Amino acid sequence: MKRLETVANVAVVIAAVVLVLFLGHQEWLRYHSPQNASARALVGRTVHLPGVQFPPRSKTLIVAISTNCHFCRDSEPFYKELAGKSASRMVAVLPQPQSEAEQYVHQAIAPGVQVVSTSLDSLGVSATPTLLLLDDSGRVEKAWVGKLDGPGQQQVQSLL
């Protein structure tokens, strides 16, 4: 009887450890996967923005942000760094009126960034911040949704 009790206790402990490892792994993947489902859904779409031309043999980084988004504000230093170092072109898309959007982007990120005021739905974007890397025809090659951690930021920089 004592032996059966010991075996049952060991089995419970092993099952608990396996469950914790499985759930922990799922959570880790959820927050550290290179692209989450909403980002993958954007890849391959073609973006059309009023007044935006996509230069031949060049990439364009679309930064879909909002003045009301605290994750966007937290990411301002990263966007400023991208605007200063990147050989690619950056376009900021905001749902706010053009004058408000321009004032925010030019003060918080960089004065040379082109600003477009339009509904984020027109991009297929439902959350801010979202970054879209476009080819010269406006097709999304890569997308990132949400505030990026260090490895995510490095991935964006390496692709520009």
Side-chain angles (χ1 to χ4, degrees), residues 63-66 69-83 90 104 108-109 128-131 144-149 153 157:
V63 181
I65 55 177
S66 172
C69 168
H70 70 90
F71 295 115
C72 300
R73 290 200 183 271
D74 292 347
S75 300
E76 287 172 4
F78 173 59
Y79 302 148
K80 189 178 290 193
E81 183 181 343
L82 285 177
M90 181 186 280
Y104 169 72
I109 299 173
T128 56
T130 295
L131 281 71
W144 299 266
V145 177
K147 182 181 174 191
L148 298 176
D149 58 6
Q153 291 178 3
Q157 290 173 328

Side-chain angles (χ1 to χ4, degrees), residues 23-137:
L23 293 175
H25 181 70
Q26 293 302 315
E27 277 299 301
W28 186 87
L29 286 176
R30 182 173 161 206
Y31 289 104
H32 294 89
S33 65
Q35 283 191 314
N36 59 30
S38 56
R40 283 191 300 271
L42 294 166
V43 174
R45 295 180 64 133
T46 300
V47 171
H48 303 283
L49 287 171
V52 176
Q53 301 294 320
F54 301 107
R57 296 179 303 282
S58 181
K59 296 188 183 297
T60 299
L61 181 67
I62 300 289
V63 181
I65 55 177
S66 172
T67 60
N68 305 324
C69 168
H70 70 90
F71 295 115
C72 300
R73 290 200 183 271
D74 292 347
S75 300
E76 287 172 4
F78 173 59
Y79 302 148
K80 189 178 290 193
E81 183 181 343
L82 285 177
K85 290 184 177 179
S86 173
S88 298
R89 188 166 161 242
M90 181 186 280
V91 177
V93 178
L94 292 87
Q96 283 75 25
Q98 186 71 27
S99 61
E100 181 184 342
E102 283 178 351
Q103 181 181 7
Y104 169 72
V105 170
H106 293 162
Q107 287 178 355
I109 299 173
V113 174
Q114 182 178 359
V115 179
V116 176
S117 172
T118 188
S119 165
L120 298 180
D121 291 339
S122 66
L123 296 172
V125 170
S126 60
T128 56
T130 295
L131 281 71
L132 305 173
L133 183 62
L134 310 179
D135 65 13
D136 59 359
S137 65

